[in-house]
Amino acid sequence: MSDDEPDLELLALLRQHLQGKLTISEEPETGVLEGAEYVYDNSIDVALDMRSCKNAAAAIHSQMQLKQYSPATWSAHELHPDTKDESTVAFIFTMDLLNFSFWSDKPESERFAISYRDRRWTGYWSLVAALQRALDEGIPITDSHFWQDEEECTLETLRQVFRSCTDEEMPMLAERLECLREAGNVLYEKYQCSPSNLITAANGSAAALVNLLARDFRCFRDEHRFEGRRKPIRLLKRAQIFVADVWACFEGQGYGEFRDIDKITMFADYRVPQMLYGLGCLAYSPPLDAAVRDKKELPAGGSWELQLRGCSIWCIELIRREIKRQHPEAEVNAILIDFFLYDTIKQLESAGQESIPHHRTRSIWY
C-alpha cells in the first residue's frame, strides 16, 4: 500500500467508533504473565531450554491424559472438602490465606507434621489436615469473626490448631496469625465477613478476583521490584491459587464459574521450579545451582528468587502453548499443569528421586 492509498481497515474501525458500534474490551488483567515475561527476558541466572520445554509439553500432556487429570482431581483427595457451599469457600479461603512456608531442613521423621485420620501429613497437606482437625474439635478456624477476636484467636490458639506430632513447630505462626487478623478486618469492612461476597464482587472474572485480593489484602499483595523495572513484578501466588482452588473444587460451576479462568498462571512457589529443573526446562547459573544444592536460604524478593519464580511462570506458559499447538482440542491450562507437576514432584520426593533440592526462601508469599 502506498502513502496515498487509504487504510481501509482503519477507516472501517473509525466508522464503527463514530457510529457507537466499536467497543473497547475492559476485561481485567492480572499483569502476572507480563511481569513473568519481563523477568525471563532480563534473567541472567535462570534460563529456559526450549527443546526440553517442547519435550516436557508432550510428556505432561500424555501423562495427564493417561491419569485423566481434570478439575475433578482436586476434590478426589481425602482431605479436601466434600461439600460445595459457602462453608467450602470459607475453608478454601482460610487454606490459601495460610498456604505458605512449610519446608524444613530437618529429616523427614523430625520435621513439622500433623497426625490426623491415622496418618502423618507434611507440607501443604499438614495445613489442610490441621484445619480439618480444628473443625472436628470445634475450633471455628475458618470463621472470619473468630480471626478478629483477639482474646480467642491468639498465638497459643494457633499453636493448638497446628500442634505437631514432632518437636518442630509450624514455621511462621506469628505471621499466619497476622494474615488471619488482617483478612478478618478486611472481610468485615468490605465484604460482610464473607469470602463468598468477595467472589461475587469479581462478577465472574478470575482476573478481577485476583486483583481484588491484591488490592484489598496486603497479605495477598505478592509484588516485587526487579532489575530497575518501574512497575513491580506481580507474582500473586496465593491470590491466584485461591481462584484456582475454588474453580477446581466447584468444577467451574457456581462459585467456581469464571469466564476467564485461563488468565490464571502457574503458582510461583519452590516445588514447580524444582520439577521444571528436573525436566531440563530450567537451567541455573553455577552460583545459583550451588546455592540451591547446598540448601542455602535465598532472600525473599532477591534477584535469584524472583528469577526462579518469574521464569517458572513463563516456562509453564510456553508448555501450555505447546500443548495447545499440538493438541488444539486439549482442555488444559496453567492451573492443571501446575497441579499435575506439584503432585508429581511430591511423589518423586517420597521416593527419594528428586534431581535437585527445592530452593529455600522464608516468606508469606509461598
Side-chain angles (χ1 to χ4, degrees):
M1 183 177 73
S2 72
D3 291 342
D4 296 329
E5 293 177 344
D7 186 328
L8 298 178
E9 185 176 352
L10 178 58
L11 284 173
L13 288 171
L14 286 170
R15 286 193 189 99
Q16 290 179 49
H17 177 69
L18 291 171
Q19 294 167 6
K21 295 179 180 177
L22 182 63
T23 57
I24 305 298
S25 173
E26 295 182 355
E27 283 292 293
E29 300 289 342
T30 66
V32 173
L33 200 57
E34 171 197 349
E37 185 178 15
Y38 180 88
V39 171
Y40 164 71
D41 286 341
N42 292 274
S43 287
I44 58 174
D45 292 289
V46 180
L48 269 60
D49 182 283
M50 295 306 170
R51 182 180 296 276
S52 293
C53 287
K54 286 194 173 189
N55 292 339
I60 289 166
H61 177 259
S62 175
Q63 286 297 307
M64 288 177 73
Q65 291 288 102
L66 186 66
K67 296 181 179 181
Q68 298 182 315
Y69 219 81
S70 74
T73 307
W74 191 96
S75 296
H77 196 282
E78 64 177 287
L79 288 183
H80 279 155
D82 295 324
T83 55
K84 310 288 184 186
D85 54 24
E86 284 192 56
S87 69
T88 309
V89 174
F91 186 96
I92 295 172
F93 185 80
T94 310
M95 184 176 77
D96 289 323
L97 192 59
L98 304 177
N99 186 358
F100 57 84
S101 200
F102 305 107
W103 60 268
S104 171
D105 282 327
K106 292 183 178 294
E108 183 67 18
S109 61
E110 298 176 21
R111 66 175 295 187
F112 167 76
I114 295 291
S115 178
Y116 181 63
R117 293 182 183 173
D118 300 320
R119 284 188 59 184
R120 186 176 179 277
W121 306 93
T122 59
Y124 161 76
W125 293 114
S126 68
L127 167 66
V128 188
L131 295 179
Q132 294 285 18
R133 183 178 66 182
L135 293 175
D136 290 351
E137 294 171 349
I139 301 171
I141 190 61
T142 61
D143 187 339
S144 66
H145 295 90
F146 176 69
W147 307 339
Q148 295 175 75
D149 190 331
E150 296 187 12
E151 293 185 0
E152 291 293 325
C153 186
T154 65
L155 200 54
E156 285 307 309
T157 305
L158 289 198
R159 287 197 174 97
Q160 174 65 15
V161 168
F162 296 109
R163 64 189 183 277
S164 177
C165 58
T166 70
D167 290 336
E168 185 177 37
E169 187 177 79
M170 188 182 217
M172 304 184 79
L173 271 180
E175 289 83 355
R176 294 178 204 277
L177 177 60
E178 187 177 339
C179 288
L180 290 173
R181 197 83 79 214
E182 186 215 346
N185 290 333
V186 173
L187 288 174
Y188 172 76
E189 292 169 2
K190 297 191 175 186
Y191 299 103
Q192 297 78 52
C193 299
S194 171
S196 301
N197 288 339
L198 181 61
I199 294 175
T200 302
N203 194 29
S205 168
L209 182 50
V210 168
N211 291 339
L212 284 174
L213 286 163
R215 184 194 73 187
D216 293 342
F217 299 82
R218 187 179 64 257
C219 62
F220 278 111
R221 204 172 300 141
D222 183 8
E223 301 175 346
H224 311 275
R225 295 288 175 183
F226 179 74
E227 301 299 329
R229 188 175 189 248
R230 294 181 68 179
K231 279 200 309 184
I233 298 297
R234 307 188 91 204
L235 300 176
L236 304 180
K237 186 263 185 179
R238 290 190 298 108
Q240 289 201 107
I241 206 170
F242 170 66
V243 179
D245 283 342
V246 170
W247 171 73
C249 175
F250 290 86
E251 297 183 39
Q253 303 296 315
Y255 290 116
E257 184 176 356
F258 300 104
R259 63 182 175 274
D260 56 352
I261 192 63
D262 289 347
K263 289 182 178 178
I264 302 301
T265 72
M266 66 80 76
F267 319 114
D269 63 357
Y270 43 83
R271 284 303 189 181
V272 175
Q274 180 189 21
M275 186 68 200
L276 291 173
Y277 182 98
L279 290 169
C281 299
L282 292 187
Y284 302 164
S285 68
L288 175 56
D289 194 280
V292 172
R293 291 183 184 279
D294 292 343
K295 300 182 180 180
K296 293 181 178 177
E297 191 165 332
L298 309 186
S303 180
W304 278 355
E305 189 228 7
L306 294 180
Q307 288 181 62
L308 284 166
R309 299 181 73 200
C311 288
S312 295
I313 292 174
W314 190 243
C315 184
I316 294 297
E317 173 63 13
L318 296 183
I319 288 172
R320 183 197 68 79
R321 291 179 186 181
E322 178 65 14
I323 292 174
K324 292 296 285 186
R325 189 178 73 83
Q326 295 290 343
H327 309 278
E329 77 292 346
E331 294 185 3
V332 65
N333 57 25
I335 296 170
L336 291 176
I337 296 171
D338 182 291
F339 285 173
F340 174 77
L341 292 179
Y342 178 86
D343 288 347
T344 303
I345 192 63
K346 292 298 288 182
Q347 291 166 7
L348 291 173
E349 179 189 39
S350 297
Q353 297 175 348
E354 302 158 287
S355 60
I356 193 172
H358 64 74
H359 72 272
R360 264 71 173 163
T361 297
R362 282 278 182 226
S363 80
I364 70 166
W365 307 124
Y366 61 98

